[in-house]
Amino acid sequence: MVSSKKEVIRLEREAVIPILKPRLVMNLANLIEHSSDRAEFLKLCKRVEYTIRAWYLLQFEDLMQLYSLFDPVHGAQKLEQQNLSEQEIDVLEQNFLSYMFKVMDKSNFKICSNEEIDVAHSGQYLLNLPITVDESKIDKNLLKRYFEEHHHDNLPDFADKYVIFRRGIGIDKTSDYFIMEKVDMIISRLWAWIMRVTRLGKVFSRKSSVRIKNDPKKDDEITNEEFPDDLYVERIRIENLEIRFLRNLASKITIQEPTFDRIIVVYRRASTKKGEKDRGIHVKHFKNIPMADMELVLPEKKNPSLTPMDWVKFIVSAVVGLVAVIGSIETPQADFWVMFAVLSAVIGYCAKIYFTFQANMEAYQNLITQSMYDKQLDSGKGTLLHLCDDVIQQEVKEVIISFFILMEQGKATLEDLDLQCEQLIKEEFGASCNFDVDDAVHKLEKMGIVARDSIGRYYCVGLKRANEVIGPTTEELVLKATMEHGS
């Protein structure tokens, strides 16, 4: 079994640094020759982290305080105790969204655009059912008001109902026999051939025609030379495999799909009781979601059923088969085997539609269960706490890498520093990212350990001087007092 068609997805590199901070710090420290400088560097890394944590502490406290009012579990009780007017609550919930979207941006999460959703839905992986959102169960005012006041480019069509944030790219591989899926593909190809020969395909194509857009991110002809800074991930799907019938029907195959490493979904449920407005804001956090199975994270999903097109195929197949059999009977020399073949083909196709749906329904239930227990990381307050820590970790890593490059390489322009930071990550850790040098340099200048010369090049102070400039942090003083008290 081989792939008859190679499908490659082009994805933009992200700013997130995919390296654990302890590993980053120790590896960089080991590159420093003198032990005294190494000790100063480790002290500086701790002081940088403590300082950045202190900067964000008040912002994160405000975020958590605001969310406590809109927590779907206990928020209603706290709002009732505050005795606020509807207008005041509206202002507070918009303030919460503003804080949260800033944290999302700092944590390098991006809002999924229509283009990205189309790329994700252009294929099938493990989920083979059309999943849709029950929009009657979702509020349409909260996010609509927010985006009216805060402009964002490339918002998806559903942005007034729910928002999907994504970060990081991975690959998911599944090895199995996929016997039913292979049989389904063979029957589908056979049916397509029958439709083409009998010219009935034109009837179905008219009924199922949809708007097709050119997809700049999914193109077999894209080469690395055209977009050298982007990532290229191959999709391996059953539909694109060439099956040499019986020989490979029972053999194990591996399919592959790019994943979104992290996904966060934000929405509010519609009010169920008249006169009572549901103020709860749901924030759900998922991991390793295959792009083609993104429907798993949709809020308030409808129970899947046979699509209208399935019913059309079902009914038209039955009518065509019945007409063919009646026509064969009315001919003077009716051929029993011809009638049997036509009836078998029609019954087989109808059975295929039904049993495929049942198999897909079972797979859907299993995937939903898996997404709840394996794929969902957290929700609500837990997700926000995770995001706050993410922001700190990413910014600490950016600052440490930028300072290390300036310390080792000397003066550098912003462009050179950006390039050298990305090269360091690539050469020392085998990872790649779109390094956010502007934010890192801004924080280093704010700390007072990096400055610019007369021609705009950046340079850093010595390690010992950097530690003196930042000075002992509160955490260090507490630790020192604890150790003295313990001794």
Side-chain angles (χ1 to χ4, degrees):
M1 184 178 298
V2 295
S3 177
S4 61
K5 180 183 178 183
K6 190 173 182 179
E7 184 178 352
V8 177
I9 297 178
R10 177 175 61 87
L11 302 161
E12 294 178 2
R13 283 196 306 162
E14 300 190 350
V16 61
I17 302 173
I19 308 161
L20 292 175
K21 185 184 59 112
R23 182 191 169 205
L24 174 74
V25 171
M26 293 311 300
N27 281 29
L28 294 182
N30 290 333
L31 295 175
I32 299 174
E33 185 177 354
H34 300 292
S35 59
S36 58
D37 289 342
R38 198 177 305 127
E40 289 288 340
F41 178 75
L42 292 173
K43 182 194 289 187
L44 178 65
C45 289
K46 287 183 179 180
R47 289 188 173 182
V48 163
E49 180 172 0
Y50 293 150
T51 303
I52 291 176
R53 281 189 182 277
W55 287 347
Y56 280 110
L57 180 62
L58 293 178
Q59 295 181 42
F60 292 162
E61 281 187 354
D62 289 343
L63 175 71
M64 301 310 295
Q65 286 291 333
L66 284 169
Y67 182 72
S68 68
L69 301 176
F70 305 107
D71 185 339
V73 181
H74 303 295
Q77 298 173 2
K78 293 186 178 181
L79 277 175
E80 191 175 346
Q81 293 171 6
Q82 296 287 336
N83 196 27
L84 299 169
S85 66
E86 290 292 314
Q87 291 76 15
E88 289 173 325
I89 296 174
D90 288 342
V91 171
L92 288 175
E93 67 185 19
Q94 292 301 312
N95 288 344
F96 165 71
L97 288 178
S98 297
Y99 273 118
M100 190 188 69
F101 274 66
K102 287 177 183 176
V103 171
M104 289 287 191
D105 182 58
K106 285 289 184 182
S107 193
N108 298 307
F109 275 89
K110 295 182 180 179
I111 297 176
C112 282
S113 64
N114 276 327
E115 183 183 71
E116 290 165 338
I117 296 294
D118 289 342
V119 171
H121 290 175
S122 63
Q124 289 183 335
Y125 187 53
L126 299 179
L127 180 62
N128 296 307
L129 284 174
I131 307 300
T132 56
V133 173
D134 188 347
E135 295 186 0
S136 65
K137 294 183 178 180
I138 296 184
D139 176 79
K140 300 177 181 64
N141 297 316
L142 174 69
L143 292 169
K144 182 180 179 183
R145 283 203 310 274
Y146 176 80
F147 287 122
E148 284 175 351
E149 297 177 8
H150 304 83
H151 175 73
H152 283 69
D153 294 323
N154 300 322
L155 284 175
D157 296 334
F158 51 77
D160 60 327
K161 296 175 278 291
Y162 56 95
V163 177
I164 299 176
F165 293 90
R166 54 92 181 166
R167 187 187 74 185
I169 301 297
I171 294 178
D172 186 74
K173 294 183 179 181
T174 302
S175 296
D176 207 337
Y177 292 98
F178 297 108
I179 293 175
M180 290 300 297
E181 287 81 0
K182 293 175 188 174
V183 171
D184 179 55
M185 183 182 67
I186 292 170
I187 294 174
S188 297
R189 290 178 180 178
L190 181 61
W191 180 255
W193 178 79
I194 294 172
M195 291 292 100
R196 191 165 59 250
V197 170
T198 59
R199 297 185 180 179
L200 287 171
K202 295 181 180 180
V203 176
F204 293 116
S205 63
R206 289 194 200 103
K207 293 178 181 291
S208 61
S209 61
V210 294
R211 178 172 57 96
I212 299 175
K213 299 193 302 182
N214 290 328
D215 184 5
K217 290 197 176 185
K218 185 174 74 69
D219 192 340
D220 297 341
E221 301 302 321
I222 289 175
T223 62
N224 290 15
E225 288 75 16
E226 291 179 78
F227 303 94
D229 293 331
D230 290 348
L231 299 173
Y232 297 85
V233 184
E234 183 182 359
R235 264 180 170 166
I236 302 176
R237 300 187 288 151
I238 295 177
E239 304 96 284
N240 294 339
L241 294 175
E242 180 183 332
I243 296 182
R244 296 188 179 92
F245 210 66
L246 295 177
R247 189 177 71 179
N248 288 321
L249 188 60
S251 62
K252 186 176 273 192
I253 63 171
T254 298
I255 57 177
Q256 176 177 293
E257 177 72 13
T259 63
F260 288 125
D261 186 54
R262 295 291 184 270
I263 281 184
I264 292 177
V265 183
V266 181
Y267 68 99
R268 167 181 281 169
R269 287 177 180 161
S271 301
T272 54
K273 296 179 182 178
K274 290 185 178 180
E276 290 186 19
K277 192 172 182 179
D278 188 346
R279 291 286 187 172
I281 298 176
H282 295 264
V283 183
K284 296 188 177 181
H285 194 186
F286 300 88
K287 67 174 182 178
N288 302 330
I289 300 297
M291 290 185 182
D293 293 348
M294 267 188 66
E295 295 94 335
L296 289 172
V297 305
L298 294 177
E300 306 299 327
K301 294 179 280 291
K302 291 181 181 179
N303 288 327
S305 60
L306 286 173
T307 64
M309 194 57 208
D310 287 334
W311 283 109
V312 169
K313 290 179 179 179
F314 197 90
I315 294 170
V316 172
S317 299
V319 171
V320 169
L322 187 62
V323 170
V325 170
I326 293 173
S328 299
I329 293 174
E330 290 178 350
T331 57
Q333 296 178 338
D335 190 333
F336 169 77
W337 292 109
V338 171
M339 289 188 293
F340 178 77
V342 172
L343 274 176
S344 298
V346 171
I347 294 171
Y349 186 70
C350 293
K352 173 252 179 188
I353 293 175
Y354 176 77
F355 286 115
T356 298
F357 172 74
Q358 291 298 323
N360 289 340
M361 191 67 180
E362 183 180 351
Y364 170 70
Q365 296 296 341
N366 291 335
L367 286 171
I368 288 294
T369 302
Q370 184 187 28
S371 70
M372 291 297 294
Y373 289 97
D374 299 337
K375 302 288 188 182
Q376 185 165 342
L377 287 174
D378 215 326
S379 63
K381 186 177 180 180
T383 296
L384 295 179
L385 288 171
H386 185 85
L387 278 172
C388 293
D389 188 63
D390 259 3
V391 171
I392 294 168
Q393 296 298 317
Q394 286 299 315
E395 301 221 344
V396 168
K397 287 186 282 188
E398 290 171 358
V399 168
I400 289 173
I401 291 172
S402 298
F403 185 89
F404 181 85
I405 289 294
L406 290 174
M407 178 183 71
E408 292 292 314
Q409 304 296 332
K411 295 182 179 181
T413 63
L414 197 64
E415 293 78 12
D416 289 339
L417 180 60
D418 185 30
L419 182 61
Q420 290 176 35
C421 289
E422 291 181 358
Q423 286 178 342
L424 176 71
I425 294 171
K426 185 78 171 176
E427 293 170 4
E428 294 296 328
F429 303 97
S432 62
C433 73
N434 183 17
F435 194 82
D436 189 0
V437 70
D438 298 273
D439 191 50
V441 167
H442 173 70
K443 285 182 170 52
L444 286 167
E445 287 182 307
K446 188 176 178 181
M447 291 178 189
I449 57 178
V450 161
R452 275 187 287 185
D453 63 13
S454 58
I455 59 174
R457 293 179 303 175
Y458 289 91
Y459 64 93
C460 68
V461 300
L463 278 170
K464 192 170 183 179
R465 178 58 184 159
N467 280 316
E468 291 174 355
V469 170
I470 296 177
T473 61
T474 304
E475 287 81 0
E476 286 180 277
L477 296 175
V478 170
L479 182 61
K480 182 180 179 181
T482 303
M483 292 176 66
E484 289 175 353
H485 180 75
S487 60

